Amino acid sequence: EADIYQTPRYLVIGTGKKITLECSQTMGHDKMYWYQQDPGMELHLIHYSYGVNSTEKGDLSSESTVSRIRTEHFPLTLESARPSHTSQYLCASSGDGSSGSPLHFGNGTRLTVT
Amino acid sequence: GENVEQHPSTLSVQEGDSAVIKCTYSDSASNYFPWYKQELGKRPQLIIDIRSNVGEKKDQRIAVTLNKTAKHFSLHITETQPEDSAVYFCAAGPYNTDKLIFGTGTRLQVFP
């Protein structure tokens, strides 16, 4: 079944650790996004990509980085995690419809940095 | 850049009543307006969307209206049911959703 998958679902790590949040989609979409969301709060765009080798920063400044080497894969990396990075990270993808296409979200990774 | 305001932040209704959530946006270039429903602990799911060439769209108990002149759009849910309880997010952006900006969310509670 075509979907968008995120791993891990939950992650608790110590300050200073390097982490990578995985996101893969089997929907054949070119556009992918990372949003940061505190529980029940608004979603903030932190990174997006139009396709392979394309990455852009979103409106919310983030110390994370992303890469897009394969169409279906859009991992997010934190080189040195801090407690301020504690949040939920949602990956999304969308088609290329010129008339607008909705975002399809993954289940999210809930990150806690101690 | 685009700024989206959403009201109210919380809304409690009795089962069977109607619920209305309103959003305003600032960027007149925005022309795609989706609504997402997020149940507790789950991913946001698209429930309805509208584009700027349409003033109203309806899907069963859910409808969205758009006033481009006033730059506001609203979600209407009729005959509410307990399973409608969730956080609802509006969003605004250009057709290609590159920079979809979300509202702050409305927590809707439907009491049986």
Side-chain angles (χ1 to χ4, degrees):
Chain A
E1 181 182 340
D3 206 346
I4 181 162
Y5 303 94
Q6 288 187 245
T7 57
R9 186 81 172 88
Y10 301 93
L11 179 61
V12 180
I13 59 165
T15 298
K17 299 291 186 184
K18 177 181 178 179
I19 59 166
T20 296
L21 308 185
E22 300 289 347
C23 176
S24 295
Q25 51 98 1
T26 57
M27 309 189 76
H29 288 162
D30 281 334
K31 295 177 183 176
M32 296 188 74
Y33 312 80
W34 277 102
Y35 282 86
Q36 185 173 339
Q37 182 190 32
D38 291 328
M41 305 296 284
E42 65 188 294
L43 292 86
H44 295 285
L45 180 66
I46 52 175
H47 297 284
Y48 61 102
S49 168
Y50 298 132
V52 171
N53 294 326
S54 155
T55 60
E56 302 284 345
K57 287 191 178 294
D59 292 330
L60 181 68
S61 175
S62 174
E63 293 165 345
S64 59
T65 59
V66 292
S67 62
R68 191 88 183 276
I69 299 172
R70 301 196 323 259
T71 299
E72 63 272 18
H73 194 213
F74 191 40
L76 181 145
T77 298
L78 275 167
E79 290 292 333
S80 179
R82 294 208 299 269
S84 60
H85 295 139
T86 294
S87 189
Q88 175 166 248
Y89 293 84
L90 286 163
C91 183
S93 69
S94 69
D96 288 325
S98 58
S99 59
S101 54
L103 297 177
H104 299 267
F105 286 91
N107 280 318
T109 293
R110 186 154 294 182
L111 173 66
T112 302
V113 183
T114 59
Chain B
E2 176 65 277
N3 181 52
V4 178
E5 294 189 1
Q6 183 172 347
H7 300 281
S9 57
T10 60
L11 180 60
S12 297
V13 299
Q14 206 71 32
E15 182 177 0
D17 288 349
S18 296
V20 180
I21 302 170
K22 299 181 179 181
C23 287
T24 60
Y25 62 97
S26 61
D27 189 348
S28 56
S30 290
N31 46 22
Y32 176 62
F33 307 94
W35 286 88
Y36 287 83
K37 175 184 179 182
Q38 187 176 28
E39 296 177 47
L40 188 63
K42 295 192 176 180
R43 67 178 92 182
Q45 301 259 14
L46 179 78
I47 55 171
I48 196 167
D49 56 10
I50 193 168
R51 295 174 176 86
S52 59
N53 57 344
V54 175
E56 184 174 357
K57 184 177 178 180
K58 193 172 181 180
D59 182 4
Q60 299 183 337
R61 297 187 296 108
I62 293 172
V64 58
T65 58
L66 171 65
N67 183 327
K68 278 219 78 177
T69 303
K71 289 193 266 189
H72 66 70
F73 56 113
S74 301
L75 178 71
H76 304 253
I77 306 174
T78 58
E79 300 172 34
T80 54
Q81 301 165 4
E83 51 264 39
D84 293 331
S85 297
V87 179
Y88 291 80
F89 293 95
C90 64
Y95 272 139
N96 59 9
T97 71
D98 288 358
K99 304 276 275 187
L100 199 58
I101 304 301
F102 284 81
T104 49
T106 295
R107 187 174 301 274
L108 173 65
Q109 282 190 297
V110 181
F111 292 98

